[in-house]
Amino acid sequence: MTRSLEEALFQHFIHQKLEIAYAINKPFPFFEGLRDNFFITETLYRESLEACRNLVPLPRVVYNILTKLETTFSLSFLEMQMPPEEQLKCEFLLLKAYCHPQSSFFAETPRNIRDYSEPFKEAMWLDLVKERLTEKVYTVAWFLRDMRLIFRNHQTFYKASDFGQIGLDLEAEFEKDLKKVLFVHEAK
């Protein structure tokens, strides 16, 4: 399997994580399969079964497991991390986004994260992008996807209000900065 195919499959997994969580309608054999193939630990297996016994909704338990798997698989992508030059460009773009006068709204975990279901696939915010950049788990494509996801989610959530314009302003500034950074890259 090529590196780009692995990355594409991993991105697809991340994008479909919520749908996967809702598609699993019984803990058996899903939990056992993950445990038996060493994708999850015995401890996580038992904690997940206990959560189900305590009436935590199964999609939430599955989503938590999938999130832990995402972290585990992200670590395996460390050898595929972007070159230092690209890392610096992404850090610069993120810094520019933080410097925008209205960026504070996009920095922290969205206050309305509980409302992130359909049509949202996943929540995203600047501090999470910063964390992933710091951990060096990003590729350039994944970084751009997450940044654009922030704006897409905001626009979807606030499309019927004037508040949506804030996201459009920050997105326009980001895309303008992105073109400048890429133009400098292409000129070299």
Side-chain angles (χ1 to χ4, degrees), residues 40-51 53:
I40 62 173
T41 63
E42 185 69 28
T43 302
L44 181 55
Y45 168 75
R46 288 187 180 149
E47 288 172 353
S48 300
L49 287 178
E50 184 64 28
R53 281 191 286 272

Side-chain angles (χ1 to χ4, degrees), residues 18-176:
L18 185 62
E19 290 181 33
I20 294 168
Y22 277 101
I24 306 299
N25 54 19
K26 295 180 182 176
F28 179 84
F30 181 70
F31 293 168
E32 286 74 10
L34 292 174
R35 181 198 58 193
D36 294 347
N37 288 292
F38 304 104
F39 287 114
I40 62 173
T41 63
E42 185 69 28
T43 302
L44 181 55
Y45 168 75
R46 288 187 180 149
E47 288 172 353
S48 300
L49 287 178
E50 184 64 28
C52 289
R53 281 191 286 272
N54 290 332
L55 302 179
V56 174
L58 181 61
R60 181 166 295 192
V61 177
V62 171
Y63 187 84
N64 288 339
I65 289 173
L66 295 176
T67 300
K68 289 181 180 174
L69 287 174
E70 177 185 348
T71 302
T72 301
F73 292 135
S74 290
L75 294 175
S76 70
F77 277 90
L78 281 175
E79 69 255 8
M80 297 182 355
Q81 61 186 260
M82 68 178 96
E85 177 182 300
E86 301 298 320
Q87 175 80 20
L88 284 173
K89 288 178 182 179
C90 291
E91 289 171 359
F92 173 75
L93 289 168
L94 181 62
L95 179 62
K96 291 282 286 180
Y98 270 114
C99 290
H100 190 276
Q102 297 167 320
S103 68
S104 61
F105 180 79
F106 302 93
E108 298 176 353
T109 307
R111 291 181 191 95
N112 54 5
I113 197 165
R114 288 194 176 110
D115 298 328
Y116 273 66
S117 57
E118 288 298 326
F120 302 101
K121 300 299 181 193
E122 69 179 294
M124 188 55 57
W125 54 97
L126 293 175
D127 287 351
L128 181 56
V129 172
K130 177 183 172 187
E131 179 182 320
R132 289 178 175 175
L133 265 177
T134 302
E135 293 173 357
K136 299 187 181 202
V137 296
Y138 270 139
T139 62
V140 174
W142 187 12
F143 166 77
L144 293 175
R145 173 218 171 258
D146 280 357
M147 289 296 291
R148 289 175 173 146
L149 182 60
I150 294 169
F151 310 128
R152 186 170 49 248
N153 284 349
H154 182 80
Q155 186 60 28
T156 301
F157 200 84
Y158 293 106
K159 65 183 171 191
S161 75
D162 292 336
F163 197 54
Q165 187 61 43
I166 294 172
L168 291 174
D169 293 344
L170 184 57
E171 179 181 24
E173 195 70 29
F174 175 78
E175 293 295 333
K176 184 177 83 175

